[in-house]
């Protein structure tokens, strides 16, 4: 049987300096399946030291990454995809309808660099099963219209829910389960939680739920 395995997880976060800087970097999940090296949300530049260390520990090189799955096309989740030049990039098809150049004089340029570095792009709609059914794809467009969530069945750590910025922090999750927040995210969460062993938060450390 072809197994799916979590290789490593680098928890995301943010760096905040009042009134000046609020720099986010997303959680990075690295998986291995049938000789493929899959990175979900490559994250942002502040993770580069951790990438150096973690890739060395696992005997990996950036060129070894075969697949990059994106929850959505925001810079703090996608920037480090520039390092994985051999990878197929998976993104929701509605990303095509966004004008990233309009995001700002500087942001427009950075988005162009990152997006132009993608040589192979695979468009998703939601509803797909990837990697022999080990990764299920959900269209969860409430944070950004191209936002996807992934339910990953691994053999070594059980089922991971990677819900991108629907679940940025543990606090958000507690707000939802304590009924402070209702709506589409809650409905989605309830529909998948029965299968989830660990929640991967996009800007916080993960939480084992069963
Ligand atoms: Ni975002």
């Amino acid at each position: 049987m072809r197994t799916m395995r979590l290789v490593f997880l680098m928890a995301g976060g943010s760096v905040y300096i009042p009134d000046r800087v609020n720099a986010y970097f997303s959680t990075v999940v690295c998986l291995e399946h049938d000789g493929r090296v899959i990175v979900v949300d490559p994250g942002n530049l502040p993770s580069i030291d951790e990438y150096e260390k973690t890739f060395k520990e696992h005997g990996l090189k950036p060129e070894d990454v075969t697949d990059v799955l994106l929850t959505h096309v925001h810079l703090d989740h996608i920037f480090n995809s520039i390092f994985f030049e051999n990878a197929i990039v998976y993104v929701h098809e509605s990303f095509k309808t966004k004008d990233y150049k309009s995001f700002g004089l500087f942001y427009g340029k950075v988005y162009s660099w990152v997006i132009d570095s993608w040589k192979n792009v695979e468009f998703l709609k939601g509803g797909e099963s990837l990697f022999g059914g080990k990764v299920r794809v959900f269209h969860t467009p409430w944070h950004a219209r191209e936002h996807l969530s992934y339910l990953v069945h691994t053999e070594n750590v059980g089922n991971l829910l990677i819900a991108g910025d629907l679940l940025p922090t543990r606090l958000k999750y507690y707000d939802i389960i304590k009924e402070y927040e209702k709506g589409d995210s809650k409905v989605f969460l309830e529909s998948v939680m029965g299968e989830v062993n660990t929640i991967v938060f996009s800007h916080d450390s993960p939480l084992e739920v069963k």
Side-chain angles (χ1 to χ4, degrees), residues 8-99:
F8 64 80
L9 181 151
M10 303 182 336
S14 71
V15 179
Y16 178 63
I17 302 169
D19 301 323
R20 292 179 53 213
V21 176
N22 201 356
Y24 287 93
F25 54 102
S26 76
T27 296
V28 181
V29 173
C30 181
L31 305 157
E32 189 271 326
H33 175 259
D34 194 21
R36 303 190 77 81
V37 178
I38 304 156
V39 172
V40 189
D41 278 359
N44 208 352
L45 203 58
S47 299
I48 194 166
D49 285 349
E50 221 174 342
Y51 263 115
E52 289 283 2
K53 186 170 153 276
T54 312
F55 266 54
K56 199 178 261 178
E57 265 169 26
H58 292 277
L60 286 169
K61 295 192 293 298
E63 304 81 72
D64 298 335
V65 174
T66 55
D67 303 271
V68 167
L69 304 186
L70 300 176
T71 59
H72 62 299
V73 184
H74 284 171
L75 205 59
D76 55 319
H77 293 249
I78 68 168
F79 181 79
N80 292 335
S81 66
I82 62 167
F83 298 117
F84 306 132
E85 36 198 52
N86 294 331
I88 301 168
V89 176
Y90 298 76
V91 63
H92 189 267
E93 59 184 5
S94 72
F95 131 84
K96 289 184 278 192
T97 65
K98 276 190 159 177
D99 177 15

Side-chain angles (χ1 to χ4, degrees), residues 148-172:
L148 295 168
S149 298
Y150 301 101
L151 187 58
V152 183
H153 175 78
T154 76
E155 268 71 30
N156 61 341
V157 294
N159 295 340
L160 304 174
L161 175 64
I162 304 173
D165 282 351
L166 292 191
L167 292 173
T169 61
R170 291 175 177 215
L171 196 62
K172 177 79 172 185

